[in-house]
Amino acid sequence: MNAIISASELADALRSDRPPVLLDVRWQLSTAAAAGEPFDGRAAYASGHVPGAVFVDLDRELASAPGARGRHPLPDLDVFGAAMRRAGVSAGTPVVAYDGGIGWAAARAWWLLRWTGHPDVRVLDGGLPAWEGPLETEAPTPAEGDFVPEPAGSGVLDADGATALARAGVLLDARAGERYRGEVEPIDPVGGHIPGAVSAPTSDNVAADGRFRPAAELRARFGHLGATPDAPVGVYCGSGVSAAHEVLALEIAGIPAALYVGSWSEWSSDPARPVAVGPDPQ
């Protein structure tokens, strides 16, 4: 099953006998939060969303509180499961997640649902800007779903696992190149990257319109970086959100990948962990 769905395909699916549950996961990583002006995803949702979509709060329902495990550690599964059931998610119901267009937040929802056992979840390619149908402002009240998250035994990396993968496989750093090189670091205490990691900015996964590049282009891109279906591959970013987008892009390319959820926000918080700077992985 394709991990993404186009706006026209979604419109057809919503008219079908088995419409998907829609998750609106609008969120932005905003440094303006420090100035008291954070992005308000719930307000954006209230101003207009795809009919039938339920708002999901990434910071509170797709992650637990920031701390030693990073800015967006794995959510409490009881909280995550309750949020999904509230949205109407059941084990046998297709799910489509979308966000404001960048795709990071929707991919986080996609990854969490897939990792916890949901068999049928996709991301709206291009997000809300790609949707050409009507919008509504009223929040729906779907029937309670029955989805109970059951985490897989694989697909997640901790700091030690990321270290090992950087040596024995391919560890991709999904952040912007200047952050990877340590030239700037607007959020975390230290700039640079995990030694051995390869720079693979998430922005290169999509075209100018925000939609994912074709599978063949993504395969070629990742193959050039050493990531192939036969190699063990992992991804990290700043806090495990944009890296989920990279895992999604790898899925489109046919390359399985694990996610280091703690990512650089966890790694850089421990001064005992090594840091590499510059364009060279080492």
Side-chain angles (χ1 to χ4, degrees):
M1 183 189 70
N2 200 340
I4 56 176
I5 184 171
S6 69
S8 60
E9 290 170 333
L10 176 58
D12 290 342
L14 291 173
R15 292 190 291 264
S16 72
D17 295 334
R18 191 168 171 258
V21 170
L22 288 178
L23 306 180
D24 184 308
V25 201
R26 267 178 280 184
W27 171 88
Q28 288 182 12
L29 177 62
S30 177
T31 53
E37 300 175 354
F39 174 79
D40 190 339
R42 193 176 296 276
Y45 166 83
S47 70
H49 50 267
V50 178
V54 175
F55 179 72
V56 176
D57 190 320
L58 185 148
D59 289 316
R60 294 175 175 82
E61 297 172 324
L62 304 184
S64 53
R69 294 181 299 135
R71 282 193 306 280
H72 292 102
L74 287 172
D76 180 287
L77 290 181
D78 289 338
V79 172
F80 172 63
M84 295 299 98
R85 292 189 292 274
R86 172 184 59 81
V89 175
S90 291
T93 307
V95 179
V96 173
Y98 72 87
D99 56 27
I102 197 168
W104 294 0
R108 173 77 174 216
W110 167 85
W111 180 84
L112 275 168
L113 281 166
R114 287 284 300 273
W115 179 64
T116 55
H118 198 288
D120 189 352
V121 54
R122 288 178 283 179
V123 167
L124 174 60
D125 195 15
L128 189 62
W131 175 253
E132 297 180 351
L135 300 177
E136 69 178 15
T137 56
E138 193 167 328
T141 53
E144 183 87 357
D146 64 14
F147 178 69
V148 177
E150 297 181 1
S154 60
V156 174
L157 297 172
D158 59 11
D160 290 340
T163 299
L165 192 57
R167 294 170 179 161
V170 180
L171 182 64
L172 301 177
D173 184 317
R175 298 172 302 157
E178 57 268 25
R179 291 185 69 191
Y180 170 88
R181 294 187 296 271
E183 296 166 358
V184 298
E185 182 44 65
I187 304 171
D188 294 310
V190 179
H193 58 270
I194 297 173
V198 178
S199 181
T202 301
S203 57
D204 291 345
N205 295 332
V206 297
D209 62 2
R211 292 176 173 86
F212 280 97
R213 297 186 184 279
E217 288 187 22
L218 290 172
R219 276 194 299 273
R221 181 208 178 197
F222 292 124
H224 179 71
L225 298 173
T228 67
D230 300 325
V233 178
V235 187
Y236 75 95
C237 58
S239 64
V241 178
S242 67
H245 187 276
E246 191 113 298
V247 173
L248 175 56
L250 286 155
E251 175 84 4
I252 295 168
I255 303 169
L259 177 65
Y260 175 23
V261 180
S263 285
W264 189 249
S265 60
E266 178 188 42
W267 184 275
S268 63
S269 68
D270 184 348
R273 294 193 183 107
V275 172
V277 296
D280 191 319
Q282 299 301 333

